[in-house]
Amino acid sequence: AEADMELGTHSYLDRETSIILRNIAGKPSHLLTKEEQAARQKAEKIRVALEKIKEAQIKKLVIRVHMSDDSSKTMMVDERQTVRQVLGNLMDKSHCGFSSDWSLVETIPELQMERIFEDHENLVENLLNWTRDSQNKLMFTERIEKYALFKNPQNYLLGKRETSEMGDRNKEALLEEFFCGGSVTVPEIEGLLWLKEDGKKSWKKRYFLLRASGIYYVPKGKTKTSRDLACFIQLDHVNVYYGQDYRSKYKAPTDYCCALKHPQIQKKSQYIKYLCCDDVRTLHQWVNGIRIAKYGRQLYDNYQEAVKRAETAYEWSSLSSASMKSGSSSSSLPESHSNHSSQSDSGVSDIQSTGHVRSQSIVSSIFSEAWKRGTQLEEQQHTKIRTDSIRSHTLPIPPSSPQTTDRKS
């Protein structure tokens, strides 16, 4: 049985070769016989070939990403990459500001809707849902609504109809209460929304309630008790999208619309659910509530990772800027973060930068700082040697004693 387990590590080899490899494990190459060397080379060639086959089987896409300045970039992505990883590559290539709000946005012109991809999602998996003749676009742009939920949680988690202010400590406590417990708490969102009737351009009002398992509504003549609620849609296999100009397309009562659909639905379908809110605040509350019910703690983790990356990128930029400004001066220090923070529309400071940092300047700044520290350390050592030398000539040396010897030893 043990032999079979050891052979399992080379399961792609024939039994004879596997036995030889097991017997020569750890044996120096110069002590191997020709047969043993041949077995080792065979195993290595097969291993390399299998790795190449595995690499070739990975799905890869060449995509075009549209930028906010109407330009576009072409890049290759594979099925192992998350949206966060692709965003990182785009930010590095574009030398854009350091903000957690940078997003990849899917726009579907035929359905007049768009969605901000979540950072943990697999990009290729989503793009493979597009049809071959699709007019869809992938946009790289800043969207403050992506993480406004975590910057001002009191406006999204408490079910209030009006905006309010809250101190930073209270915000942190509120986020911990909702996202850091044993299970994520879905905000209690409910109220009257407009529902588009199937196949028609007419809308009717219903009373909807958000729950962890989905969205429910109160049938006519019923109450809001759980036993009377009817399931409108479950959230496991649908995404929430912002509607665009539904007032013109579907005669919506307002401009504040959203839609729920399966990601594979790319054309007009009876399985797309359309909702309309009375104001933009209600729309954002529902969209973010649905995101929380669907993704839970993962959303908070995404936000923390995005902030961490923005802060790290800013620190690199500050170090580079400080090194370039200092020149030959050894007393310059990186500027404070507060000098470059700007207030966003959501009332929370986002880390920004006005300069574009290239990898060459970053490497040179690191080298400059290291050289400076090395020079200072060398001067300190020379000063210490001179001081010790002066003391040895001016101070009497006390006679050695057993106690002194013990301490030195």
Side-chain angles (χ1 to χ4, degrees):
E2 290 182 3
D4 291 338
M5 288 179 62
E6 291 184 12
L7 292 177
T9 59
H10 303 290
S11 57
Y12 50 85
L13 299 174
D14 59 87
R15 184 176 181 82
E16 181 181 354
T17 304
S18 297
I19 292 174
I20 292 175
L21 290 178
R22 184 194 65 186
N23 292 333
I24 66 174
K27 190 175 181 180
S29 299
H30 66 279
L31 297 180
L32 298 179
T33 65
K34 288 185 178 181
E35 182 183 16
E36 292 170 340
Q37 289 177 351
R40 178 174 286 183
Q41 291 172 358
K42 178 181 179 180
E44 179 62 18
K45 288 180 179 179
I46 293 176
R47 185 189 66 79
V48 171
L50 289 174
E51 286 185 357
K52 289 182 177 179
I53 293 173
K54 186 177 180 181
E55 178 71 21
Q57 291 175 339
I58 295 173
K59 293 188 181 73
K60 298 177 182 177
L61 289 179
V62 176
I63 62 172
R64 181 179 296 277
V65 182
H66 296 266
M67 319 298 281
S68 54
D69 60 357
D70 294 331
S71 65
S72 63
K73 289 185 181 294
T74 302
M75 61 188 299
M76 179 178 285
V77 295
D78 67 53
E79 62 181 342
R80 298 168 296 184
Q81 290 179 291
T82 64
V83 171
R84 165 52 50 193
Q85 291 170 325
V86 177
L87 278 173
N89 292 340
L90 284 168
M91 285 189 279
D92 290 340
K93 290 181 179 180
S94 305
H95 309 290
C96 54
F98 311 115
S99 168
S100 58
D101 294 329
W102 284 107
S103 310
L104 282 177
V105 182
E106 172 192 29
T107 64
I108 310 177
E110 185 169 344
L111 297 176
Q112 292 185 210
M113 60 177 64
E114 66 175 26
R115 179 173 81 92
I116 301 173
F117 283 137
E118 306 295 351
D119 285 354
H120 69 276
E121 289 187 90
N122 182 289
L123 183 61
V124 169
E125 183 179 318
N126 279 283
L127 299 184
L128 287 176
N129 291 320
W130 293 6
T131 58
R132 186 173 295 273
D133 59 344
S134 173
Q135 298 297 314
N136 297 1
K137 290 183 178 181
L138 189 62
M139 307 290 297
F140 174 62
T141 182
E142 283 186 284
R143 290 294 181 88
I144 60 173
E145 63 267 31
K146 180 180 181 180
Y147 288 131
L149 158 66
F150 300 105
K151 297 173 183 179
N152 284 299
Q154 73 280 5
N155 294 333
Y156 299 90
L157 302 179
L158 300 179
K160 295 181 179 179
R161 292 190 175 274
E162 68 282 345
T163 58
S164 59
E165 296 297 327
M166 180 178 281
D168 290 343
R169 288 187 178 180
N170 291 334
K171 288 179 182 179
E172 292 176 6
L174 183 60
L175 290 172
E176 287 183 6
E177 178 184 345
F178 272 80
F179 293 98
C180 300
S183 60
V184 173
T185 303
V186 176
E188 296 181 0
I189 302 176
E190 59 181 70
L192 288 170
L193 300 177
W194 297 90
L195 171 65
K196 180 181 175 297
E197 296 189 74
D198 293 339
K200 300 179 182 179
K201 290 188 177 181
S202 58
W203 300 71
K204 57 185 177 182
K205 271 196 171 183
R206 284 187 180 272
Y207 197 93
F208 289 92
L209 303 92
L210 178 64
R211 296 291 184 264
S213 56
I215 300 175
Y216 296 79
Y217 68 93
V218 180
K220 288 184 179 180
K222 300 293 184 178
T223 64
K224 292 192 297 181
T225 57
S226 298
R227 63 182 180 183
D228 289 335
L229 296 179
C231 181
F232 173 63
I233 193 170
Q234 292 182 324
L235 304 175
D236 294 339
H237 304 294
V238 299
N239 292 324
V240 58
Y241 296 77
Y242 284 103
Q244 297 177 311
D245 196 23
Y246 282 180
R247 190 189 283 268
S248 298
K249 185 176 178 66
Y250 297 122
K251 307 299 181 185
T254 74
D255 292 318
Y256 314 115
C257 302
C258 64
L260 294 146
K261 76 172 187 69
H262 191 282
Q264 291 182 349
I265 298 176
Q266 295 291 312
K267 298 182 181 296
K268 189 176 179 180
S269 169
Q270 62 177 333
Y271 298 107
I272 302 176
K273 304 296 183 183
Y274 301 92
L275 296 172
C276 184
C277 306
D278 288 331
D279 54 71
V280 66
R281 174 176 170 73
T282 303
L283 172 63
H284 287 313
Q285 280 188 333
W286 273 96
V287 169
N288 281 285
I290 292 169
R291 292 170 68 207
I292 295 171
K294 184 173 176 63
Y295 301 113
R297 171 63 187 261
Q298 183 67 58
L299 276 184
Y300 192 36
D301 292 341
N302 290 350
Y303 169 68
Q304 291 177 315
E305 180 64 26
V307 170
K308 182 180 178 181
R309 175 180 169 81
E311 290 176 346
T312 301
Y314 180 82
E315 288 171 359
W316 277 101
S317 174
S318 298
L319 179 61
S320 175
S321 299
S323 177
M324 292 168 61
K325 289 180 181 179
S326 65
S328 59
S329 172
S330 61
S331 60
S332 62
L333 294 173
E335 295 182 7
S336 169
H337 287 198
S338 61
N339 293 339
H340 292 282
S341 62
S342 61
Q343 199 75 7
S344 71
D345 293 342
S346 59
V348 177
S349 295
D350 291 332
I351 302 173
Q352 304 287 343
S353 174
T354 56
H356 297 316
V357 182
R358 298 187 182 274
S359 58
Q360 184 177 357
S361 63
I362 292 175
V363 173
S364 63
S365 68
I366 296 174
F367 180 81
S368 175
E369 294 294 325
W371 180 275
K372 188 189 307 178
R373 288 194 296 269
T375 302
Q376 292 173 345
L377 182 60
E378 186 178 354
E379 290 177 354
Q380 291 173 359
Q381 290 175 342
H382 284 310
T383 302
K384 186 176 183 302
I385 292 172
R386 288 197 299 269
T387 304
D388 292 343
S389 176
I390 293 171
R391 288 179 176 174
S392 65
H393 286 290
T394 58
L395 296 177
I397 301 176
S400 59
S401 62
Q403 292 84 350
T404 305
T405 304
D406 291 341
R407 281 198 298 272
K408 288 182 179 179
S409 61

